[in-house]
């Protein structure tokens, strides 16, 4: 009998490892870019988290702020 790891489990583990590694490298890159731009303290520590959440939640800089997008949807001016 073979008591080894099944192929689908090994493939899933490999894919999860690659995805986790990508998140870690992206977080390190964002931290480095924040450091180069002069961020320090809490702003520097939170930069990777905010950039990842922006990327996941589709809050790209090209989309602008939520108030701007809601103004376009409702077609009514908003008090800002």
């Amino acid at each position: 009998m073979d008591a080894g790891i099944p192929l689908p489990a090994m493939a899933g583990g490999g894919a999860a490892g690659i995805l986790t590694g990508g998140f870690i490298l992206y977080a390190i890159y964002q931290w480095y870019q924040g450091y180069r731009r002069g961020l320090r303290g809490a702003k520097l520590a939170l930069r990777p988290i905010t950039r990842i959440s922006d990327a996941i939640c589709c809050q790209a800089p090209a989309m602008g702020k939520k108030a701007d997008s809601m103004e376009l949807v409702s077609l009514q001016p908003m008090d800002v």
Side-chain angles (χ1 to χ4, degrees), residues 25-62:
L25 288 175
Y26 185 73
I28 291 170
Y29 172 75
Q30 289 302 326
W31 183 87
Y32 177 70
Q33 290 298 319
Y35 182 79
R36 285 185 58 203
R37 291 177 188 223
L39 296 178
R40 298 292 184 266
K43 288 184 179 182
L44 179 61
L46 293 176
R47 180 177 167 87
I49 296 168
T50 57
R51 298 295 292 173
I52 289 172
S53 68
D54 288 348
I56 292 173
C57 298
C58 301
Q59 295 291 333

Side-chain angles (χ1 to χ4, degrees), residues 1-27:
M1 281 211 295
D2 184 18
I5 299 173
L7 185 60
M10 193 157 70
I18 291 171
L19 186 63
T20 302
F23 275 121
I24 291 170
L25 288 175
Y26 185 73

Side-chain angles (χ1 to χ4, degrees), residues 67 70-72 74-80:
M70 292 306 294
E71 185 175 330
L72 292 174
S74 66
L75 298 176
Q76 297 176 1
M78 293 183 73
D79 296 332
V80 179

